[in-house]
Amino acid sequence: FLLSASRLARCVASFLFAVNRRFEPSDRMLAERIATLPVIPDGFLGQLDNLIRPIGDITMEARREIAQHIVRSLLPLALEERE
């Protein structure tokens, strides 16, 4: 599941950079740059941190729920029209 969570986090980051019309940075600078984006869902950074937290700190069921919440929080951004 952690590999899937990692892939989800990368895809979500790509989506957020596209929504904000910004170029994606290298993986090493990804988390730092996400925090500076003007358009991100409320509470997103905390949820992302919880999703990629090491094994044992959070149950798999909780990770699944966090992943679902992250994806649902992005849907309004996907449907929003931008100029």
Side-chain angles (χ1 to χ4, degrees), residues 8 12 44 47 65-76:
L8 174 66
V12 165
F44 174 78
Q47 292 169 356
E65 289 175 13
I66 292 167
Q68 285 179 339
H69 190 270
I70 288 172
V71 171
R72 286 184 184 132
S73 72
L74 297 175
L75 290 176

Side-chain angles (χ1 to χ4, degrees), residues 34-81:
I34 287 174
T36 66
L37 292 174
V39 178
I40 58 174
D42 292 335
F44 174 78
L45 296 175
Q47 292 169 356
L48 184 62
D49 184 53
N50 285 331
L51 182 66
I52 59 176
R53 186 174 292 194
I55 294 177
D57 289 352
I58 192 168
T59 67
M60 291 302 208
E61 179 63 24
R63 283 185 201 279
R64 187 184 63 76
E65 289 175 13
I66 292 167
Q68 285 179 339
H69 190 270
I70 288 172
V71 171
R72 286 184 184 132
S73 72
L74 297 175
L75 290 176
L77 297 178
L79 301 173
E80 188 176 298
E81 289 187 32

Side-chain angles (χ1 to χ4, degrees), residues 6-18:
S6 172
R7 184 67 182 144
L8 174 66
R10 188 68 177 116
C11 290
V12 165
S14 294
F15 173 79
L16 287 173
F17 280 98

